[in-house]
């Protein structure tokens, strides 16, 4: 931007200097040439009118007359030519001039008061003047005598002066541009300094320093911009502060509620276990009610545990206790614990020999949530596959895929599938899970430094792909 401002400033200065120099040069040149031209024309006319001659014109005396006129030339020496019928004479060596044009001859015959013309011949400028001699026949009438006198004057001195003017204008414009560069730099600095401060302040705010402000100098548009930025930054800081306080209160509330519910839930679960054991001895309606209470109490217990887990992620208190594990063996253990290893609905494609640094407990949650979600909302068989790969940056990663053969995920639901309590099927108001399983899965994958994405297979069914670096570092989120 600094370069563009300087270029624009210099362009304006160059155009201004060039225009001024061109106008000055044109006026000075015209004035110089007009002065020499007017002097020569008026002098030549005056001398021609004062010269006496008799008719018919004799060539012998004509040359002496022309030399006399040439000696009186102003402001430069003349070469005088005469044309009278077929008679041609001059004050120089050649009786006929190659500088006098046919146009000037025609103008001389048409205008009894004379004409002039500037001509350039072989790079040399000339002033040519045609003055017909006349007899005065009345106060306002004249009669041409047929004799036309021409004065040819070199204008080399005037051309030298004109060239000197042009050089002076050019030489004056170049230092002028150099001088204009100094105020251009000062102006660019005064304009760019607030812009740089604004850029620095915006970068600081983007990095989280919401207390950043810009000094307000002067009362111009840039000062108004700085004041507006400060006002906006103050409002944003207040809004973010309020949002952070509200978020902290919400996290504390969820954590406190979950913590307070654990104790009564533990008692309720113990009671429902006893009731489940005696449900077969109760009448049908009572047994159905007992089993319903037991099932809903179990769901509530899962929801409370998931809420506490989510609150730990939100509070940045979740820790990753990574260890080098055999990934295939860890997945088999997850399936065995949940009685899925002998289930025809779950197929595992687990090549041996793949080892990675993982938190076994959190990786178990990831696999269990994905397989359980596929069994509940997808279609059997569910396939768990394992392989290794590389990211574009060359980082080796562990790739785990969980695919089902169900109807798949609606395309409009894919961007929100990992949101908390999101329901891909709006008609499904209740589910067997807490609605937080995929959100907890995503947080556990992120804790490993990995990514998870959802999609659909070409042949049908949903697929969840987890990529985790093979050498995850122990971190706290």
């Amino acid at each position: 931007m600094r370069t563009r401002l300087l270029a624009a400033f210099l362009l304006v200065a160059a155009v201004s200097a060039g225009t001024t120099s061109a106008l000055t040069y044109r006026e000075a040149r015209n004035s110089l040439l007009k002065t020499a031209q007017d002097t020569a024309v008026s002098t030549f006319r005056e001398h021609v009118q004062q010269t006496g001659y008799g008719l018919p014109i004799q060539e012998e005396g004509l040359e002496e007359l022309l030399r006399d006129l040439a000696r009186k030339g102003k402001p430069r020496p003349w070469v005088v030519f005469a044309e009278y019928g077929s008679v041609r004479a001059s004050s120089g060596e050649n009786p006929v001039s190659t500088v006098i044009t046919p146009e000037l001859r025609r103008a001389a015959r048409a205008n009894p008061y004379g004409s002039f013309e500037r001509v350039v011949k072989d790079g040399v400028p000339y002033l040519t003047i045609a003055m017909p001699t006349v007899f005065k026949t009345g106060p306002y009438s004249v009669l041409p005598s047929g004799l036309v006198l021409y004065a040819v004057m070199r204008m080399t001195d005037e051309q030298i002066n004109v060239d000197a003017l042009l050089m002076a204008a050019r030489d004056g414009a170049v230092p002028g541009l150099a001088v204009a560069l100094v105020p251009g730099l000062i102006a660019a600095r005064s304009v760019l300094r607030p812009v740089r401060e604004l850029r620095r302040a915006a970068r600081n705010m983007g990095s989280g320093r919401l207390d950043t402000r810009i000094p307000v100098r002067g009362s111009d548009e840039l000062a108004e911009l700085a004041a507006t930025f400060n006002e906006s930054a103050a409002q944003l800081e207040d809004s973010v502060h309020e949002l952070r306080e509200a978020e902290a209160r919400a996290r504390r509330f969820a954590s406190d509620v979950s913590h307070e519910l654990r104790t009564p839930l533990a008692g309720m679960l113990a009671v429902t276990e006893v009731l489940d054991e005696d449900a077969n001895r109760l009448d049908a309606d009572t047994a159905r009610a007992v089993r319903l209470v037991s099932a809903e109490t179990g769901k509530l217990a899962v929801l409370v545990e998931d809420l506490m887990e989510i609150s730990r992620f939100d509070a940045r208190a979740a820790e990753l206790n990574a260890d080098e594990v055999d990934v295939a063996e860890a997945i088999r253990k997850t399936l065995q614990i949940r009685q899925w290893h002998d289930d025809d609905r779950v197929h595992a494609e687990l090549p041996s020999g793949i080892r990675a640094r993982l938190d076994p407990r959190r990786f178990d949650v990831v696999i269990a949530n994905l397989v359980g979600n596929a069994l509940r909302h997808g279609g059997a068989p569910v396939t768990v596959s394992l392989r290794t790969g590389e990211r574009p940056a060359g980082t080796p990663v562990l790739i785990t895929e969980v695919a089902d053969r169900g109807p798949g995920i609606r395309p409009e639901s894919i961007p929100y599938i990992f949101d908390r309590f999101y329901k891909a099927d709006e008609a499904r108001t209740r589910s067997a899970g807490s609605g937080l399983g995929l959100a907890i899965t995503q947080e556990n994958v992120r804790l490993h430094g990995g990514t998870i994405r959802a999609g659909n297979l070409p042949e049908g069914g949903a697929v969840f792909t987890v990529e985790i670096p093979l050498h995850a570092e122990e971190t706290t989120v």
Side-chain angles (χ1 to χ4, degrees), residues 383-463:
T383 303
V384 182
S385 60
L386 182 66
R387 68 179 189 275
T388 59
E390 283 190 359
R391 287 177 175 172
T395 305
V397 292
L398 174 71
I399 303 175
T400 308
E401 287 186 351
V402 177
D404 62 60
R405 294 297 181 269
I409 307 171
R410 293 185 303 173
E412 61 271 19
S413 298
I414 291 178
Y416 312 103
I417 198 69
F418 296 103
D419 291 354
R420 301 173 187 182
F421 300 108
Y422 178 76
K423 294 181 175 63
D425 185 1
E426 296 296 336
R428 179 171 56 86
T429 58
R430 292 179 58 82
S431 65
S434 64
L436 296 172
L438 290 179
I440 292 175
T441 299
Q442 184 182 49
E443 294 294 343
N444 279 305
V445 172
R446 286 178 177 172
L447 200 61
H448 283 85
T451 60
I452 182 172
R453 60 182 182 274
N456 292 313
L457 296 171
E459 61 273 17
V463 58

Side-chain angles (χ1 to χ4, degrees), residues 108-439:
R109 289 193 295 269
N111 185 4
Y113 298 102
S115 300
F116 63 90
E117 185 180 26
R118 287 202 296 266
V119 180
V120 177
K121 179 72 172 179
D122 298 330
V124 180
Y126 295 92
L127 174 64
T128 57
I129 309 170
M131 196 65 63
T133 59
V134 296
F135 296 109
K136 198 169 186 180
T137 59
Y140 304 104
S141 61
V142 293
L143 179 64
S145 66
L147 174 64
V148 181
L149 300 179
Y150 298 92
V152 177
M153 182 181 73
R154 282 176 173 262
M155 302 189 72
T156 51
D157 290 349
E158 285 75 13
Q159 184 63 44
I160 292 173
N161 293 334
V162 168
D163 293 341
L165 285 174
L166 179 61
M167 187 176 297
R170 184 191 62 193
D171 294 343
V174 173
L177 290 178
V179 173
L181 184 62
V182 176
L185 290 171
I186 297 174
R189 180 182 179 186
S190 63
V191 171
L192 292 180
R193 182 175 58 191
V195 176
R196 285 195 294 266
E197 291 176 349
L198 181 62
R199 180 186 61 186
R200 191 181 306 112
R203 185 184 295 115
N204 291 339
M205 291 191 66
S207 62
R209 296 172 56 184
L210 301 181
D211 58 343
T212 303
R213 299 294 184 269
I214 303 175
V216 179
R217 303 182 182 91
S219 58
D220 55 7
E221 289 80 1
L222 292 174
E224 293 179 1
L225 177 61
T228 302
F229 178 88
N230 292 340
E231 293 175 2
S232 302
Q235 294 176 0
L236 179 62
E237 184 180 16
D238 293 340
S239 300
V240 170
H241 181 69
E242 292 176 0
L243 289 174
R244 287 175 177 171
E245 288 186 344
E247 182 183 8
R249 289 194 299 269
R251 285 200 301 266
R252 286 195 301 270
F253 175 78
S255 177
D256 293 344
V257 169
S258 300
H259 182 76
E260 293 299 327
L261 285 175
R262 294 185 74 179
T263 301
L265 274 175
M268 292 172 64
L269 286 172
V271 173
T272 55
E273 287 178 3
V274 174
L275 292 177
D276 281 340
E277 294 176 356
D278 297 334
N280 293 331
R281 295 194 295 268
L282 302 174
D283 60 85
D285 292 339
T286 304
R288 188 164 48 253
V290 167
R291 293 190 179 94
L292 178 61
V293 169
S294 178
E296 294 300 324
T297 302
K299 292 179 183 179
L300 183 59
V302 172
L303 175 61
V304 169
E305 291 297 327
D306 287 347
L307 283 173
M308 292 194 66
E309 183 72 4
I310 283 290
S311 66
R312 281 191 286 270
F313 283 116
D314 290 342
R316 303 292 190 268
E319 295 181 352
L320 184 71
N321 299 314
D323 193 9
E324 187 171 334
V325 299
D326 186 318
V327 183
E329 185 61 29
I331 295 177
R332 290 192 191 98
K333 187 179 296 184
T334 298
L335 299 180
Q336 289 173 0
I337 292 174
R338 291 159 181 85
Q339 304 298 316
W340 290 333
H341 64 295
D342 293 330
D343 194 336
D344 292 337
R345 298 181 302 164
V346 180
H347 294 166
E349 299 175 359
L350 308 174
S352 60
I354 299 177
R355 303 185 67 82
R357 287 190 61 81
L358 302 171
D359 185 324
R361 183 184 71 83
R362 295 190 180 280
F363 189 68
D364 172 78
V365 172
V366 170
I367 300 301
N369 282 349
L370 292 179
V371 174
N373 185 74
L375 290 173
R376 284 192 300 270
H377 306 301
V382 174
T383 303
V384 182
S385 60
L386 182 66
R387 68 179 189 275
T388 59
E390 283 190 359
R391 287 177 175 172
T395 305
V397 292
L398 174 71
I399 303 175
T400 308
E401 287 186 351
V402 177
D404 62 60
R405 294 297 181 269
I409 307 171
R410 293 185 303 173
E412 61 271 19
S413 298
I414 291 178
Y416 312 103
I417 198 69
F418 296 103
D419 291 354
R420 301 173 187 182
F421 300 108
Y422 178 76
K423 294 181 175 63
D425 185 1
E426 296 296 336
R428 179 171 56 86
T429 58
R430 292 179 58 82
S431 65
S434 64
L436 296 172
L438 290 179

